[in-house]
Amino acid sequence: MDYPNDQAPGAPVRSGIPEHGRIPKYYAVKARIAALLEELGEGSVIPTERDLAERYDVARETVRQAVRELVLEGRLRRKGRGTVVAGPKLAQPLSLASYTEGVRRQGRTPGRTLVTLDRFPCPEPLAAETGLTRGEPVWHLERVLLADDERVGLESTYVAVGRVPGLAADFDPDSSFYAYLEAQGITFGDADERIETVLATPREALLIGTPPALPMLLIHRVSRDTEGRPLERVRSLYRGDRFSFTAHLRG
């Protein structure tokens, strides 16, 4: 699997392309419109469906589906009779918690299915976000999340090989990664976390077993140990019809 140096750690793996390589036409158009939004900027009115259909040489229904998904993801918003580029989403802090612990507290059995475990040089976006060194070896652990054997999510974890050099040899992919780190003498200190709603890419929907139009909850987490050193970067995608999240607040 290719991990180019400009691959952002929060982006879908392989840009959402399924392993069989076939990309739905609407998704290709959606990606091109998304790039256009970056050029237009917040509050700008996007071209009409007819103009976009002519620009990308596709049917208007294909454009309509692409735009509909961008609206659901919060990247576009309706304004009067037009559609404009939406602003950035608000970030809501959440508490540090283990997936395993959360599922067990609800009386269900947690599980995971390994998708991939590989290593690659740390790309610049991941280094800038976590404090790791660009080019140093990094593990990428990707697993489907289960609850009572039902597929409910997809998790990608990035961690420096130097912190857990034996990960490929002595880690059980069906077990808790947090428990594994603790067994290695590594203790979590703090983390920054952000949650947003998205739609799964075709690849993610295939792995989780859901239709691409199903809203998902996406959590980004950057964790550090008790000494403040970077520990992990996690991208967790949860089925919107299966999960909600709570936080204990104190004044």
Side-chain angles (χ1 to χ4, degrees):
M1 184 179 292
D2 250 353
Y3 291 88
N5 278 340
D6 61 352
Q7 170 73 49
V13 177
R14 295 182 60 211
S15 299
I17 302 173
E19 269 70 10
H20 53 55
R22 296 187 295 275
I23 307 174
K25 183 176 291 187
Y26 85 88
Y27 188 81
V29 173
K30 175 184 172 184
R32 298 179 71 177
I33 295 176
L36 176 63
L37 304 187
E38 297 295 329
E39 300 174 10
L40 294 176
E42 180 181 348
S44 299
V45 179
I46 68 170
T48 65
E49 287 182 0
R50 178 181 302 222
D51 291 340
L52 290 172
E54 292 178 356
R55 177 183 299 199
Y56 302 130
D57 193 25
V58 296
R60 291 182 63 176
E61 179 55 36
T62 301
V63 170
R64 189 172 297 119
Q65 183 175 359
V67 170
R68 186 184 304 122
E69 288 200 358
L70 289 168
V71 170
L72 287 173
E73 290 181 357
R75 303 189 65 178
L76 291 172
R77 61 184 176 87
R78 307 293 187 185
K79 186 175 182 180
R81 299 182 62 181
T83 303
V84 302
V85 180
K89 296 180 180 179
L90 297 175
Q92 175 63 44
L94 298 175
S95 62
L96 184 63
S98 163
Y99 170 77
T100 299
E101 296 170 356
V103 173
R104 283 179 176 165
R105 278 199 300 266
Q106 299 174 65
R108 304 185 68 179
T109 302
R112 300 161 186 84
T113 300
L114 179 66
V115 177
T116 183
L117 173 58
D118 51 14
R119 54 188 287 174
F120 61 98
C122 181
E124 178 58 35
L126 179 59
E129 187 175 16
T130 62
L132 296 173
T133 302
R134 178 178 179 178
E136 73 170 293
V138 172
W139 290 115
H140 170 234
L141 171 66
E142 186 180 31
R143 298 180 291 175
V144 174
L145 303 176
L146 308 173
D148 291 341
D149 295 324
E150 178 187 15
R151 289 179 287 175
V152 294
L154 182 67
E155 182 179 81
S156 285
T157 301
Y158 302 85
V159 60
V161 172
R163 300 302 302 269
V164 283
L167 185 67
D170 53 28
F171 173 65
D172 177 7
D174 188 37
S175 65
S176 167
F177 183 62
Y178 286 8
Y180 173 78
L181 290 177
E182 292 176 357
Q184 306 301 308
I186 300 174
T187 304
F188 280 88
D190 60 36
D192 294 318
E193 196 163 73
R194 175 168 57 90
I195 184 170
E196 57 182 312
T197 57
V198 298
L199 296 176
T201 68
R203 177 179 183 270
E204 291 166 339
L206 186 65
L207 289 170
I208 303 174
T210 59
L214 178 70
M216 310 293 284
L217 295 169
L218 175 62
I219 293 183
H220 302 271
R221 174 182 292 173
V222 177
S223 304
R224 292 165 290 272
D225 63 17
T226 52
E227 297 178 1
R229 295 182 298 170
L231 186 52
E232 63 164 1
R233 202 294 186 193
V234 182
R235 181 183 192 275
S236 301
L237 189 68
Y238 298 93
R239 289 181 55 165
D241 64 339
R242 289 291 184 270
F243 273 88
S244 64
F245 292 90
T246 63
H248 177 67
L249 306 178
R250 180 175 298 173

